[in-house]
Amino acid sequence: MKEWALRRTQAKGPFLQKGDFRLFRKANSRDAIVLLLLALPALAHFLIFKYIPLAGNVIAFQDYNIFAGVFESKWVGFKHFQFMFQYAEFKTVLKNSLKFGLYSILFGFPAPLLLAMLLNEIRKSWFKRMTQTLVYLPHFLSWVIVGGIFTELLANEGVINRALGLFGMEPVSFLTEPRYFMGMVVGLGIWKEVGWSMIIYLAALSGINPNLYEAAMVDGAGRFKQAWHITLPSIMPAIIVLLLLRIGHVLDANVEQILFFLNPLNREAGEVFDTYVYRVGLMGSQYSYTTAIGLFKAFVGIILVVGLNTLSRKTTGESIY
């Protein structure tokens, strides 16, 4: 590529000389091979761990027997899907999963955006870097560590209840009362991941032309109007893409996050699809039934992504395809 560029710059006329196209094609071929070799590990990962396992979804239409295998198991059609919608416990799990997913999007999605916009207003670079580091540090902690810390803090004899006792208040059973479970888990998830998601928005904010803000200040626009008319429209493509990626997982939950705080006393309010599949599918060996649940989740995710993408394309002009 460098050889072709050098010859082109040394050319006397405005047209390509003889042999330039051959060198260009040869350089491009080498670059393509190098890029392909670099992409092979990622392609192999997706092929082995993402696409090939999709064939296993066929057991949702079988009474799968682990000893008989896929080819010898009995075909039952949509039996497990019918059972899924008729089972009373499924409705509770669906409600909890929707509640968890919608709360996570409603409160968790705008949190990193607001934090990034606030952090972007800080002019002291050393303070900005320190704050950013402290905020996204929890992302690198496992849920075992986070769960252990907050179990001690929220226990009946924990720090928070002791502090409440100093003000003459009764202790609160955060870990066993079903009404506190969803708010506690969603709040901890936001606290743990808000800093990591914030990095994407900070990168988008750094690409905004500062001349736009200077012109807005000349026109008398305050901080709020600048954010509303310049910042948000400028990073709208990033917001739309991240929202579309998030909405497709509305029925998904972090198994470690939920299982650590789930117990028999709050199971009715905390059982979601992922913990239900773990308990019934893996522990109870109902592989076909829980695979049908997985296909149901995937179908809902596809419908939401396609629907929201179409709506976004028609209203804002931004979409992922």
Side-chain angles (χ1 to χ4, degrees):
M1 189 66 183
K2 292 180 179 179
E3 183 182 355
W4 177 84
L6 181 61
R7 288 186 56 177
R8 181 65 189 90
T9 56
Q10 293 175 347
K12 296 180 180 179
F15 300 101
L16 293 175
Q17 296 181 357
K18 184 179 180 181
D20 282 349
F21 283 114
R22 185 172 64 254
L23 289 171
F24 182 70
R25 287 196 300 269
K26 184 178 180 181
N28 277 346
S29 299
R30 289 198 302 267
D31 292 342
I33 293 173
V34 172
L35 291 175
L36 181 60
L37 291 175
L38 290 174
L40 276 179
L43 293 175
H45 167 79
F46 278 97
L47 179 64
I48 297 172
F49 297 104
K50 300 295 182 181
Y51 289 101
I52 293 179
L54 288 176
N57 289 323
V58 71
I59 68 174
F61 306 95
Q62 299 177 322
D63 271 335
Y64 177 70
N65 187 305
I66 192 172
F67 300 104
V70 175
F71 298 103
E72 299 297 330
S73 297
K74 180 182 177 181
W75 286 87
V76 294
F78 293 93
K79 169 188 171 182
H80 299 294
F81 293 92
Q82 294 173 355
F83 176 76
M84 178 176 64
F85 291 111
Q86 295 172 359
Y87 195 39
E89 192 174 3
F90 174 81
K91 298 177 182 178
T92 302
V93 175
L94 176 61
K95 182 186 71 174
N96 291 338
S97 298
L98 281 173
K99 186 184 295 185
F100 179 82
L102 293 176
Y103 283 176
S104 298
I105 293 175
L106 182 62
F107 299 105
F109 183 76
L113 174 60
L114 294 175
L115 187 59
M117 293 176 66
L118 291 173
L119 197 61
N120 194 52
E121 295 295 324
I122 298 176
R123 294 295 173 257
K124 299 291 184 180
S125 58
W126 66 268
F127 183 75
K128 182 177 180 179
R129 289 195 300 268
M130 182 183 67
T131 304
Q132 182 177 341
T133 302
L134 292 175
V135 169
Y136 75 68
L137 186 62
H139 169 80
F140 299 98
L141 301 177
S142 70
W143 272 107
V144 175
I145 297 174
V146 173
I149 293 172
F150 282 93
T151 297
E152 294 296 325
L153 293 175
L154 300 173
N156 289 336
E157 299 297 329
V159 175
I160 294 179
N161 277 319
R162 289 182 182 180
L164 294 176
L166 295 176
F167 295 96
M169 301 174 64
E170 294 293 328
V172 180
S173 300
F174 294 104
L175 300 177
T176 56
E177 283 286 341
R179 56 179 174 171
Y180 298 122
F181 181 85
M182 199 60 67
M184 175 184 64
V185 173
V186 172
L188 290 179
I190 295 173
W191 171 80
K192 186 175 183 298
E193 300 297 338
V194 66
W196 186 255
S197 303
M198 175 191 68
I199 297 176
I200 300 175
Y201 292 113
L202 285 175
L205 289 171
S206 65
I208 301 177
N209 189 346
N211 294 331
L212 297 175
Y213 293 106
E214 295 176 2
M217 286 188 289
V218 170
D219 292 338
R223 290 293 186 185
F224 180 79
K225 288 187 176 180
Q226 291 177 33
W228 184 258
H229 294 288
I230 298 176
T231 305
L232 289 178
S234 298
I235 63 174
M236 187 57 67
I239 296 175
I240 294 298
V241 170
L242 291 176
L243 180 59
L244 288 171
L245 294 175
R246 187 77 174 267
I247 201 71
H249 297 279
V250 67
L251 294 180
D252 293 334
N254 190 315
V255 178
E256 294 179 358
Q257 178 183 359
I258 302 294
L259 279 180
F260 200 95
F261 298 98
L262 197 65
N263 57 64
L265 297 176
N266 59 26
R267 184 174 297 278
E268 183 180 355
E271 185 87 284
V272 295
F273 276 127
D274 295 292
T275 58
Y276 183 69
V277 167
Y278 171 77
R279 181 170 60 87
V280 176
L282 296 180
M283 306 299 291
S285 301
Q286 297 187 35
Y287 305 112
S288 295
Y289 173 54
T290 49
T291 302
I293 293 177
L295 285 177
F296 169 76
K297 288 173 53 183
F299 179 76
V300 172
I302 292 172
I303 294 297
L304 290 174
V305 169
V306 172
L308 185 60
N309 186 75
T310 303
L311 179 64
S312 174
R313 186 170 59 247
K314 290 182 178 180
T315 54
T316 66
E318 302 292 344
S319 63
I320 58 176
Y321 61 86

